[in-house]
Amino acid sequence: MARINENYLKLPGSYLFAEIARRVNRFKTENPSADIIRLGIGDVTRPLVPAVIKGMEAAVAEMGQESTFRGYGPEQGYDFLIQTIIANDFAARGVTIGEDEVFVSDGSKSDVGNIQEIFSDKAKIAITDPVYPVYLDTNVMAGRTGALGEDGRFAGITYLVCNAENNFCPALPESPVDVIYLCVPNNPTGTTLSRSELKKWVDYARETEAVILFDAAYEAYITEADVPHSIYEIEGAKEVAIEFRSFSKTAGFTGTRCAYTVVPKTVMGRTEAGEKVPLNQLWNRRHTTKFNGVPYIIQRGAQAAYSPEGKQQIREVVDYYMNNAKVIREGLLSMGLTVFGGVNAPYIWLKTPAGLDSWGLFDKLLTEVNIVGTPGAGFGPAGEGYFRLTAFGNAERTIEAVERMKTQLKL
Ligand code: PLP
């Protein structure tokens, strides 16, 4: 019998969403007429904008003609999309990025999950707590974490706690690490780091020769001027940071699939013997060996998201979600709850009221007002005592959910 990668057995089951589904299904069976509103999903609900559809339709027509048909494309992405990305997302912010530093992919989940392959299995990893689970789970699979302790933490991981006490701005690691995952604006907390807070991390990474893996999947939701859209807006970041961007939450591509990763040629790692190696070289090798490019039609759709009409239409969609965020945030604040996020991100992170833990609030919302959210404890031990609501739903249903909470929830 083939021997397996036993690291997989260290992963706790997909407890969070399975348990949410179990509780919702049981409630629905017992209360078939209940009108449940889901504010738990991290998926978008608005359709693709017309400019993107137009870009894709033109590409579909090209694929049907011998003279314009495309087979395999460059694994790193077509020049037309890479150049559009650089011009709009970086040059427009005064950041210089080379065309061979951008890698187009089928999603940030793949990229943030796969990037760990280019680091040593001995690399020390720091992640925030609570966290988007992919960063942790992929390092568990790779065998970098040791076993799961009774406190819900892996012995080999450096956890960077983010909570109300530190204003969701984690303290620097106490001992050196090789790799630091940061997600700004953050999922699940909806909070951000200011320019000066992020600079502290970049300076730290430069001093200790660590690499920052910067997940900016929610960049489009930033509304405040002091929140950087790219880590490369911070001086020195091109020496130490890899940035992940996605069209999922920006242009509604969660089902369409397109993202990109920036690996500046100046970001270095080292061999055991101390030889410096550019991470760009390793990621290029990994990407071209294991990935065969995003479909031409999809890349044309992504390019169209940057056209003047595309930008305008996408802005309206982001504003739609952010209006939901405002409705939720203000509604909860008016109830006297302590609320974070929802200003630069489509996530609202609330403190559970006294006497209720994360799952306690989940059950109360489900049974008293038929609303489904996500218990903070599912994102890591430091998420206990918090709860996540998302702004990706329908506007009318979001208003109704908030009204129900304001008028019917017994806190
Ligand atoms: N990074 C974060 C922080 C996310 O929340 C998500 C999706 O929810 C992703 C990455 C995945 O994005 P993609 O759809 O590009 O795979």
Side-chain angles (χ1 to χ4, degrees):
M1 230 183 268
R3 280 168 287 187
I4 60 160
N5 178 351
E6 293 184 30
N7 293 313
Y8 278 64
L9 306 180
K10 294 177 190 160
L11 289 165
S14 179
Y15 170 73
L16 177 64
F17 290 102
E19 181 60 17
I20 289 175
R22 194 186 69 77
R23 292 191 193 206
V24 173
N25 286 338
R26 192 184 57 196
F27 180 76
K28 266 179 21 192
T29 311
E30 288 164 8
N31 304 274
S33 62
D35 177 21
I36 293 175
I37 304 181
R38 292 176 189 271
L39 295 184
I41 48 159
D43 194 0
V44 296
T45 54
R46 307 300 297 160
L48 293 175
V49 299
V52 167
I53 296 294
K54 204 170 128 204
M56 287 186 190
E57 279 173 351
V60 169
E62 283 182 61
M63 292 298 271
Q65 299 292 326
E66 193 173 351
S67 58
T68 47
F69 168 78
R70 314 258 181 154
Y72 291 124
E75 291 98 338
Q76 298 92 336
Y78 283 103
D79 287 349
F80 64 78
L81 180 55
I82 292 177
Q83 286 160 3
T84 307
I85 286 169
I86 290 174
N88 287 274
D89 290 345
F90 299 102
R93 296 192 182 278
V95 175
T96 308
I97 297 289
E99 288 183 28
D100 50 3
E101 295 178 318
V102 176
F103 298 84
V104 175
S105 79
D106 65 347
S108 281
K109 184 175 189 176
S110 322
D111 291 349
V112 297
N114 291 327
I115 194 78
Q116 47 77 30
E117 277 186 31
I118 66 170
F119 297 100
S120 159
D121 55 3
K122 297 187 198 73
K124 293 235 169 310
I125 309 294
I127 59 160
T128 50
D129 175 16
V131 74
Y132 176 58
V134 178
Y135 315 151
L136 176 62
D137 290 0
T138 50
N139 278 290
V140 175
M141 292 169 176
R144 286 194 194 88
T145 61
L148 183 62
E150 284 190 0
D151 59 354
R153 296 198 153 130
F154 287 91
I157 289 281
T158 299
Y159 287 86
L160 308 168
V161 170
C162 298
N163 56 22
E165 285 68 48
N166 62 20
N167 204 21
F168 300 93
C169 184
L172 296 169
E174 279 166 16
S175 44
V177 294
D178 296 88
V179 178
I180 301 160
Y181 288 82
L182 294 179
C183 176
V184 183
N186 191 263
N187 176 15
T189 68
T191 59
T192 52
L193 296 179
S194 67
R195 219 163 277 276
S196 61
E197 286 159 351
L198 190 55
K199 182 169 187 310
K200 199 176 72 180
W201 283 94
V202 170
D203 291 347
Y204 173 80
R206 290 171 82 188
E207 273 159 34
T208 60
E209 299 192 324
V211 171
I212 297 176
L213 301 179
F214 190 77
D215 187 344
Y218 297 95
E219 169 274 337
Y221 294 83
I222 294 171
T223 61
E224 291 180 323
D226 193 33
V227 181
H229 288 249
S230 164
I231 194 166
Y232 305 122
E233 290 175 46
I234 310 293
E235 197 200 333
K238 272 171 68 180
E239 289 165 31
V240 290
I242 291 176
E243 181 163 304
F244 304 90
R245 294 279 194 105
S246 172
F247 293 93
S248 283
K249 307 298 161 73
T250 310
F253 273 46
T254 52
T256 307
R257 310 307 301 146
C258 196
Y260 68 89
T261 290
V262 180
V263 190
K265 289 189 164 164
T266 37
V267 184
M268 296 289 176
R270 65 170 173 86
T271 63
E272 282 300 328
E275 183 200 346
K276 286 192 172 182
V277 179
L279 297 186
N280 180 287
Q281 178 190 319
L282 301 186
W283 185 246
N284 189 47
R285 188 61 203 242
R286 196 254 164 228
H287 198 68
T288 51
T289 302
K290 295 196 177 182
F291 185 65
N292 236 349
V294 173
Y296 176 68
I297 297 162
I298 304 299
Q299 292 194 54
R300 281 293 186 199
Q303 181 194 26
Y306 292 101
S307 65
E309 322 79 81
K311 280 184 181 168
Q312 173 59 29
Q313 292 160 1
I314 284 167
R315 178 48 36 212
E316 284 165 20
V317 174
V318 169
D319 288 348
Y320 177 98
Y321 295 134
M322 286 310 279
N323 196 51
N324 287 346
K326 187 165 179 270
V327 166
I328 299 171
R329 194 183 145 81
E330 290 180 355
L332 298 177
L333 285 170
S334 77
M335 293 165 66
L337 290 165
T338 306
V339 180
F340 307 95
V343 175
N344 295 297
Y347 296 117
I348 289 91
W349 188 244
L350 61 130
K351 220 168 177 356
T352 58
L356 282 177
D357 64 8
S358 290
W359 281 105
L361 182 58
F362 177 89
D363 288 335
K364 197 171 176 59
L365 283 172
L366 178 62
T367 55
E368 285 182 17
V369 287
N370 308 155
I371 288 165
V372 180
T374 314
F379 297 102
E384 180 54 273
Y386 294 90
F387 198 82
R388 192 189 77 172
L389 294 174
T390 80
F392 286 126
N394 167 277
E396 288 75 38
R397 296 289 277 168
T398 302
I399 291 170
E400 188 183 336
V402 171
E403 265 322 294
R404 279 193 210 168
M405 287 192 269
K406 277 163 69 171
T407 54
Q408 296 166 36
L409 195 65
K410 297 181 214 68
L411 290 175

